Amino acid sequence: MANLNEFLAFSPEVAAARQAGLPLVALESTVISHGMPWPDNLATAQTLEAAVRDQGAVPATIAVIDGKVRIGLSPGELERLARGEEPVQKLSRRDLAIRLCLGGLGATTVAATMVAARAAGIQVFATGGIGGVHRGAQQSFDISADLSELARTPVAVVCAGAKSILDLPLTLEVLETLGVPVLGYATARFPAFYSRDSGLPVDARVDSPSAIAHVCRTHWGLGLQSGVLVTHPVPAELALDPAVAEAAIAQALGEALDQGIRGKDTTPFLLARVKALTGGESLKTNVALIQNNARLAAQVAVALAASAGR
Ligand code: PSU
Ligand code: MN
Protein backbone atom coordinates (compact mmCIF):
# COMPACT_ATOMS: atom_id res chain seq x y z
CA MET A 1 0.00 0.00 0.00
CA ALA A 2 1.14 3.52 -0.75
CA ASN A 3 2.55 5.61 2.05
CA LEU A 4 2.87 9.37 2.11
CA ASN A 5 6.67 9.31 2.28
CA GLU A 6 6.82 7.67 -1.14
CA PHE A 7 5.05 10.68 -2.62
CA LEU A 8 7.36 13.30 -1.09
CA ALA A 9 9.80 14.99 -3.47
CA PHE A 10 12.32 17.36 -1.91
CA SER A 11 13.93 20.30 -3.71
CA PRO A 12 17.76 20.21 -3.71
CA GLU A 13 17.87 23.06 -1.15
CA VAL A 14 15.48 21.30 1.24
CA ALA A 15 17.17 17.92 0.79
CA ALA A 16 20.54 19.47 1.66
CA ALA A 17 19.04 21.23 4.70
CA ARG A 18 17.57 17.95 5.95
CA GLN A 19 20.92 16.23 5.56
CA ALA A 20 22.66 19.00 7.47
CA GLY A 21 19.96 19.19 10.16
CA LEU A 22 19.24 22.87 9.43
CA PRO A 23 16.01 24.47 10.68
CA LEU A 24 13.19 24.34 8.12
CA VAL A 25 10.00 26.37 7.76
CA ALA A 26 7.03 25.12 5.74
CA LEU A 27 5.05 27.61 3.63
CA GLU A 28 1.63 26.94 2.11
CA SER A 29 0.63 27.43 -1.52
CA THR A 30 -3.12 28.13 -1.42
CA VAL A 31 -2.33 31.66 -0.33
CA ILE A 32 -0.31 31.99 -3.57
CA SER A 33 -2.86 30.43 -5.92
CA HIS A 34 -6.16 31.40 -4.31
CA GLY A 35 -5.27 34.10 -1.80
CA MET A 36 -3.60 36.84 -3.84
CA PRO A 37 -3.67 38.17 -7.41
CA TRP A 38 -0.90 37.73 -9.99
CA PRO A 39 1.82 39.05 -9.98
CA ASP A 40 1.79 40.16 -6.33
CA ASN A 41 1.37 36.52 -5.33
CA LEU A 42 4.65 35.47 -6.95
CA ALA A 43 6.54 38.44 -5.51
CA THR A 44 5.12 37.63 -2.07
CA ALA A 45 6.00 33.94 -2.29
CA GLN A 46 9.57 34.89 -3.18
CA THR A 47 9.92 37.45 -0.38
CA LEU A 48 8.56 34.93 2.13
CA GLU A 49 11.28 32.49 1.19
CA ALA A 50 13.87 35.27 1.45
CA ALA A 51 12.54 36.29 4.89
CA VAL A 52 13.01 32.72 6.15
CA ARG A 53 16.56 32.52 4.74
CA ASP A 54 17.45 35.90 6.30
CA GLN A 55 16.77 34.43 9.73
CA GLY A 56 19.02 31.42 9.17
CA ALA A 57 16.36 28.83 8.29
CA VAL A 58 15.44 27.12 5.02
CA PRO A 59 12.02 27.65 3.39
CA ALA A 60 9.99 24.73 2.08
CA THR A 61 7.00 25.90 0.05
CA ILE A 62 4.67 22.93 -0.34
CA ALA A 63 2.36 21.99 -3.24
CA VAL A 64 1.20 18.92 -5.15
CA ILE A 65 2.64 18.89 -8.66
CA ASP A 66 2.26 16.12 -11.22
CA GLY A 67 1.65 13.33 -8.72
CA LYS A 68 4.19 14.35 -6.07
CA VAL A 69 4.01 16.30 -2.82
CA ARG A 70 6.76 18.80 -3.51
CA ILE A 71 8.60 19.98 -0.40
CA GLY A 72 10.40 23.09 -1.67
CA LEU A 73 9.60 24.43 -5.13
CA SER A 74 11.87 25.57 -7.95
CA PRO A 75 11.41 29.17 -9.17
CA GLY A 76 9.61 27.77 -12.23
CA GLU A 77 7.21 25.71 -10.13
CA LEU A 78 6.44 28.68 -7.91
CA GLU A 79 5.64 30.72 -11.01
CA ARG A 80 3.41 27.98 -12.44
CA LEU A 81 1.32 28.03 -9.27
CA ALA A 82 1.20 31.80 -9.11
CA ARG A 83 0.33 32.46 -12.77
CA GLY A 84 -2.67 30.19 -12.69
CA GLU A 85 -2.65 29.61 -16.46
CA GLU A 86 -3.38 25.94 -15.77
CA PRO A 87 -6.13 25.06 -13.30
CA VAL A 88 -4.85 24.92 -9.71
CA GLN A 89 -6.98 22.91 -7.28
CA LYS A 90 -7.27 23.95 -3.64
CA LEU A 91 -6.25 20.93 -1.54
CA SER A 92 -7.23 20.20 2.01
CA ARG A 93 -6.53 16.86 3.79
CA ARG A 94 -9.31 15.04 1.96
CA ASP A 95 -8.07 16.13 -1.49
CA LEU A 96 -4.46 14.93 -1.27
CA ALA A 97 -4.93 11.36 -2.50
CA ILE A 98 -7.28 12.46 -5.25
CA ARG A 99 -4.82 15.01 -6.63
CA LEU A 100 -1.86 12.63 -6.32
CA CYS A 101 -3.79 10.09 -8.39
CA LEU A 102 -5.22 12.48 -10.97
CA GLY A 103 -2.13 14.68 -11.48
CA GLY A 104 -1.97 18.37 -12.25
CA LEU A 105 -1.44 21.28 -9.90
CA GLY A 106 -2.72 21.40 -6.35
CA ALA A 107 -2.16 24.18 -3.84
CA THR A 108 -2.12 23.08 -0.21
CA THR A 109 -4.21 24.82 2.47
CA VAL A 110 -3.07 25.09 6.07
CA ALA A 111 -4.50 21.60 6.74
CA ALA A 112 -2.81 19.87 3.80
CA THR A 113 0.45 21.76 4.33
CA MET A 114 0.51 20.54 7.95
CA VAL A 115 0.03 16.94 6.78
CA ALA A 116 2.93 17.27 4.33
CA ALA A 117 5.16 19.19 6.74
CA ARG A 118 4.77 16.54 9.39
CA ALA A 119 5.61 13.78 6.91
CA ALA A 120 8.71 15.75 5.90
CA GLY A 121 9.78 16.24 9.53
CA ILE A 122 9.17 20.01 9.47
CA GLN A 123 7.87 21.35 12.79
CA VAL A 124 7.21 25.01 11.99
CA PHE A 125 4.91 26.50 9.36
CA ALA A 126 4.15 30.13 8.50
CA THR A 127 0.96 31.38 6.90
CA GLY A 128 -1.25 34.48 6.83
CA GLY A 129 -4.56 33.49 8.35
CA ILE A 130 -6.02 30.10 9.23
CA GLY A 131 -9.46 28.81 8.33
CA GLY A 132 -11.96 28.49 11.18
CA VAL A 133 -15.62 28.43 12.11
CA HIS A 134 -17.58 30.48 9.58
CA ARG A 135 -20.21 32.96 10.63
CA GLY A 136 -23.53 31.12 10.41
CA ALA A 137 -21.85 27.72 10.93
CA GLN A 138 -24.78 26.83 13.22
CA GLN A 139 -26.74 26.45 9.96
CA SER A 140 -24.10 25.78 7.29
CA PHE A 141 -21.83 23.45 9.35
CA ASP A 142 -18.94 25.28 7.65
CA ILE A 143 -15.95 24.68 9.90
CA SER A 144 -12.55 24.63 8.19
CA ALA A 145 -10.62 21.37 8.13
CA ASP A 146 -7.68 23.51 9.31
CA LEU A 147 -9.09 23.22 12.84
CA SER A 148 -9.35 19.43 12.90
CA GLU A 149 -5.86 19.28 11.40
CA LEU A 150 -4.54 21.49 14.20
CA ALA A 151 -6.12 18.98 16.58
CA ARG A 152 -4.21 16.01 15.22
CA THR A 153 -0.94 17.13 13.65
CA PRO A 154 2.03 18.30 15.74
CA VAL A 155 3.21 21.34 13.80
CA ALA A 156 3.54 24.92 15.08
CA VAL A 157 1.50 27.24 12.83
CA VAL A 158 2.45 30.92 12.87
CA CYS A 159 -0.38 33.16 11.66
CA ALA A 160 -1.89 36.62 12.14
CA GLY A 161 -4.99 35.11 13.73
CA ALA A 162 -8.00 34.70 11.48
CA LYS A 163 -10.00 37.08 9.33
CA SER A 164 -13.33 38.10 10.74
CA ILE A 165 -15.05 36.57 7.70
CA LEU A 166 -15.05 33.88 10.42
CA ASP A 167 -16.79 33.76 13.78
CA LEU A 168 -13.71 34.35 15.92
CA PRO A 169 -15.25 33.53 19.34
CA LEU A 170 -16.55 30.20 17.98
CA THR A 171 -13.21 29.50 16.30
CA LEU A 172 -11.45 29.91 19.66
CA GLU A 173 -14.08 27.70 21.36
CA VAL A 174 -13.42 24.92 18.85
CA LEU A 175 -9.64 25.26 19.25
CA GLU A 176 -10.16 24.88 23.01
CA THR A 177 -12.34 21.79 22.51
CA LEU A 178 -9.73 20.28 20.21
CA GLY A 179 -6.89 20.88 22.67
CA VAL A 180 -4.89 23.32 20.57
CA PRO A 181 -2.80 25.83 22.56
CA VAL A 182 -3.18 29.38 21.22
CA LEU A 183 -0.18 31.61 21.94
CA GLY A 184 0.09 35.36 21.39
CA TYR A 185 3.49 36.68 20.39
CA ALA A 186 3.99 39.86 22.42
CA THR A 187 0.21 40.12 22.85
CA ALA A 188 -2.44 38.75 25.18
CA ARG A 189 -5.16 39.14 22.54
CA PHE A 190 -6.06 37.03 19.54
CA PRO A 191 -5.29 39.08 16.41
CA ALA A 192 -7.92 39.48 13.69
CA PHE A 193 -5.61 39.36 10.65
CA TYR A 194 -6.17 42.92 9.29
CA SER A 195 -6.23 44.30 12.82
CA ARG A 196 -4.10 43.57 15.85
CA ASP A 197 -6.80 42.85 18.38
CA SER A 198 -10.05 40.88 18.12
CA GLY A 199 -10.82 41.69 21.76
CA LEU A 200 -10.59 37.97 22.57
CA PRO A 201 -7.89 36.48 24.82
CA VAL A 202 -5.22 33.97 23.80
CA ASP A 203 -4.19 31.20 26.19
CA ALA A 204 -0.85 32.80 26.95
CA ARG A 205 1.34 35.67 25.91
CA VAL A 206 4.91 34.72 24.96
CA ASP A 207 7.62 37.24 24.30
CA SER A 208 10.41 35.42 22.49
CA PRO A 209 10.90 32.76 19.83
CA SER A 210 12.67 30.59 22.40
CA ALA A 211 9.65 30.81 24.74
CA ILE A 212 7.44 29.63 21.85
CA ALA A 213 9.86 26.79 21.11
CA HIS A 214 9.85 25.83 24.79
CA VAL A 215 6.04 25.53 24.89
CA CYS A 216 6.03 23.51 21.63
CA ARG A 217 8.70 21.09 22.83
CA THR A 218 6.93 20.64 26.14
CA HIS A 219 3.49 20.16 24.52
CA TRP A 220 4.86 17.50 22.19
CA GLY A 221 7.04 16.05 24.93
CA LEU A 222 3.89 15.46 26.97
CA GLY A 223 2.68 13.31 24.09
CA LEU A 224 -0.03 15.80 23.14
CA GLN A 225 -0.08 15.25 19.42
CA SER A 226 -1.69 18.46 18.27
CA GLY A 227 -0.59 21.61 16.56
CA VAL A 228 0.31 24.78 18.43
CA LEU A 229 -1.17 28.00 17.09
CA VAL A 230 1.21 30.95 17.33
CA THR A 231 -0.51 34.25 16.63
CA HIS A 232 1.45 37.30 15.55
CA PRO A 233 -0.39 40.60 15.11
CA VAL A 234 0.10 42.64 11.94
CA PRO A 235 2.56 45.56 12.42
CA ALA A 236 0.53 48.50 13.78
CA GLU A 237 1.43 50.89 10.96
CA LEU A 238 0.04 48.45 8.37
CA ALA A 239 -3.17 47.40 10.12
CA LEU A 240 -6.46 48.24 8.38
CA ASP A 241 -9.13 50.39 9.99
CA PRO A 242 -11.40 47.73 11.62
CA ALA A 243 -14.53 49.59 10.42
CA VAL A 244 -13.31 49.47 6.80
CA ALA A 245 -12.50 45.75 7.07
CA GLU A 246 -15.84 44.96 8.73
CA ALA A 247 -17.87 46.83 6.09
CA ALA A 248 -16.14 44.89 3.29
CA ILE A 249 -16.60 41.59 5.13
CA ALA A 250 -20.31 42.24 5.71
CA GLN A 251 -20.83 43.00 2.03
CA ALA A 252 -18.80 39.96 0.90
CA LEU A 253 -20.79 37.66 3.20
CA GLY A 254 -24.05 39.00 1.78
CA GLU A 255 -22.86 38.42 -1.79
CA ALA A 256 -21.75 34.86 -0.98
CA LEU A 257 -25.21 34.09 0.41
CA ASP A 258 -26.98 35.67 -2.59
CA GLN A 259 -24.80 33.77 -5.07
CA GLY A 260 -25.11 30.44 -3.28
CA ILE A 261 -21.32 30.08 -2.78
CA ARG A 262 -20.60 26.97 -0.72
CA GLY A 263 -17.98 24.47 0.44
CA LYS A 264 -14.35 24.98 -0.50
CA ASP A 265 -15.24 27.95 -2.74
CA THR A 266 -16.46 30.02 0.20
CA THR A 267 -13.12 31.16 1.64
CA PRO A 268 -11.48 32.06 -1.72
CA PHE A 269 -14.66 33.93 -2.73
CA LEU A 270 -14.73 35.94 0.51
CA LEU A 271 -10.99 36.68 0.36
CA ALA A 272 -11.25 37.93 -3.22
CA ARG A 273 -14.28 40.11 -2.52
CA VAL A 274 -12.82 41.60 0.67
CA LYS A 275 -9.66 42.39 -1.25
CA ALA A 276 -11.57 44.05 -4.09
CA LEU A 277 -13.78 46.02 -1.70
CA THR A 278 -10.91 47.33 0.43
CA GLY A 279 -8.67 48.07 -2.53
CA GLY A 280 -4.88 47.89 -2.59
CA GLU A 281 -4.52 48.69 1.10
CA SER A 282 -5.62 45.24 2.23
CA LEU A 283 -3.15 43.56 -0.11
CA LYS A 284 -0.32 45.63 1.38
CA THR A 285 -1.43 44.57 4.86
CA ASN A 286 -1.65 40.96 3.76
CA VAL A 287 1.85 40.89 2.25
CA ALA A 288 3.39 42.59 5.28
CA LEU A 289 1.84 40.29 7.84
CA ILE A 290 2.79 37.10 6.05
CA GLN A 291 6.37 38.28 5.79
CA ASN A 292 6.32 39.11 9.46
CA ASN A 293 5.03 35.60 10.19
CA ALA A 294 7.68 33.95 8.01
CA ARG A 295 10.38 35.80 9.95
CA LEU A 296 8.98 34.74 13.34
CA ALA A 297 8.48 31.14 12.17
CA ALA A 298 12.13 31.00 11.09
CA GLN A 299 13.23 32.30 14.49
CA VAL A 300 11.10 29.63 16.19
CA ALA A 301 12.57 26.93 13.93
CA VAL A 302 16.09 28.12 14.81
CA ALA A 303 15.20 28.08 18.54
CA LEU A 304 13.72 24.57 18.25
CA ALA A 305 16.84 23.33 16.48
CA ALA A 306 19.07 24.91 19.12
CA SER A 307 17.15 23.17 21.91
CA ALA A 308 16.92 19.78 20.17
CA GLY A 309 18.20 16.95 22.29
CA ARG A 310 18.05 19.00 25.47
N1 PSU B 1 -7.55 32.72 5.31
C1 PSU B 1 -6.84 33.77 4.86
N2 PSU B 1 -6.05 33.60 3.75
C2 PSU B 1 -5.97 32.40 3.11
C3 PSU B 1 -6.72 31.30 3.60
C4 PSU B 1 -7.48 31.50 4.71
O1 PSU B 1 -6.91 34.85 5.44
O2 PSU B 1 -5.24 32.30 2.08
C5 PSU B 1 -6.59 29.96 2.92
C6 PSU B 1 -5.59 29.06 3.67
O3 PSU B 1 -4.93 28.23 2.73
C7 PSU B 1 -6.50 28.23 4.56
C8 PSU B 1 -7.69 28.03 3.66
O4 PSU B 1 -5.94 27.01 4.98
O5 PSU B 1 -7.86 29.28 3.00
C9 PSU B 1 -8.94 27.62 4.42
O6 PSU B 1 -9.94 27.27 3.53
P1 PSU B 1 -11.32 26.65 4.10
O7 PSU B 1 -11.97 27.76 4.85
O8 PSU B 1 -12.07 26.24 2.86
O9 PSU B 1 -10.94 25.48 4.97
MN1 MN C 1 -15.35 25.42 4.59
Side-chain angles (χ1 to χ4, degrees):
M1 207 165 40
N3 109 27
L4 177 52
N5 289 311
E6 296 166 21
F7 287 96
L8 300 183
F10 297 95
S11 69
E13 183 188 18
V14 171
R18 279 162 52 89
Q19 282 262 304
L22 298 178
L24 283 151
V25 173
L27 299 167
E28 62 149 313
S29 43
T30 295
V31 67
I32 304 171
S33 62
H34 292 70
M36 285 185 190
W38 169 267
D40 306 80
N41 58 353
L42 179 61
T44 303
Q46 290 164 341
T47 58
L48 290 184
E49 294 196 346
V52 170
R53 290 190 190 100
D54 272 358
Q55 301 298 320
V58 175
T61 305
I62 293 177
V64 174
I65 302 182
D66 303 335
K68 290 284 178 194
V69 180
R70 312 288 316 212
I71 312 290
L73 304 182
S74 69
E77 288 166 338
L78 208 55
E79 185 167 336
R80 232 175 118 188
L81 274 169
R83 255 186 203 282
E85 271 170 1
E86 315 154 63
V88 185
Q89 306 299 323
K90 173 185 163 193
L91 310 183
S92 189
R93 162 180 278 264
R94 66 153 182 200
D95 307 296
L96 282 169
I98 297 173
R99 192 51 40 209
L100 287 169
C101 292
L102 301 186
L105 283 182
T108 50
T109 61
V110 168
T113 305
M114 289 179 77
V115 172
R118 181 203 202 172
I122 303 175
Q123 293 178 304
V124 186
F125 163 23
T127 185
I130 58 161
V133 180
H134 280 259
R135 298 196 198 177
Q138 297 89 338
Q139 288 301 318
S140 67
F141 275 46
D142 191 351
I143 301 177
S144 174
D146 291 353
L147 297 185
S148 42
E149 200 60 51
L150 280 160
R152 67 199 293 181
T153 301
V155 170
V157 178
V158 180
C159 69
K163 285 201 179 82
S164 46
I165 56 172
L166 303 174
D167 186 318
L168 300 183
L170 292 190
T171 298
L172 287 172
E173 287 292 348
V174 170
L175 286 166
E176 179 187 358
T177 302
L178 296 175
V180 178
V182 179
L183 304 179
Y185 183 62
T187 181
R189 305 290 200 97
F190 188 71
F193 195 87
Y194 288 128
S195 60
R196 292 175 55 83
D197 184 358
S198 66
L200 301 162
V202 291
D203 299 326
R205 169 180 170 150
V206 281
D207 288 299
S208 66
S210 63
I212 296 169
H214 191 201
V215 172
C216 291
R217 290 195 74 78
T218 306
H219 185 74
W220 297 326
L222 292 172
L224 302 174
Q225 293 288 303
S226 75
V228 174
L229 194 64
V230 179
T231 64
H232 191 199
V234 62
E237 63 281 11
L238 285 156
L240 277 193
D241 178 348
V244 170
E246 182 52 40
I249 286 164
Q251 181 169 338
L253 286 166
E255 291 176 7
L257 206 63
D258 288 347
Q259 296 178 36
I261 308 291
R262 299 183 56 215
K264 71 199 290 182
D265 296 333
T266 301
T267 295
F269 176 89
L270 293 173
L271 297 181
R273 289 304 296 146
V274 167
K275 204 163 305 137
L277 293 164
T278 51
E281 284 306 297
S282 73
L283 187 59
K284 253 195 264 169
T285 304
N286 209 334
V287 170
L289 67 83
I290 305 192
Q291 247 171 291
N292 213 31
N293 295 345
R295 213 171 297 124
L296 176 59
Q299 292 164 358
V300 172
V302 168
L304 271 170
S307 66
R310 252 190 245 158

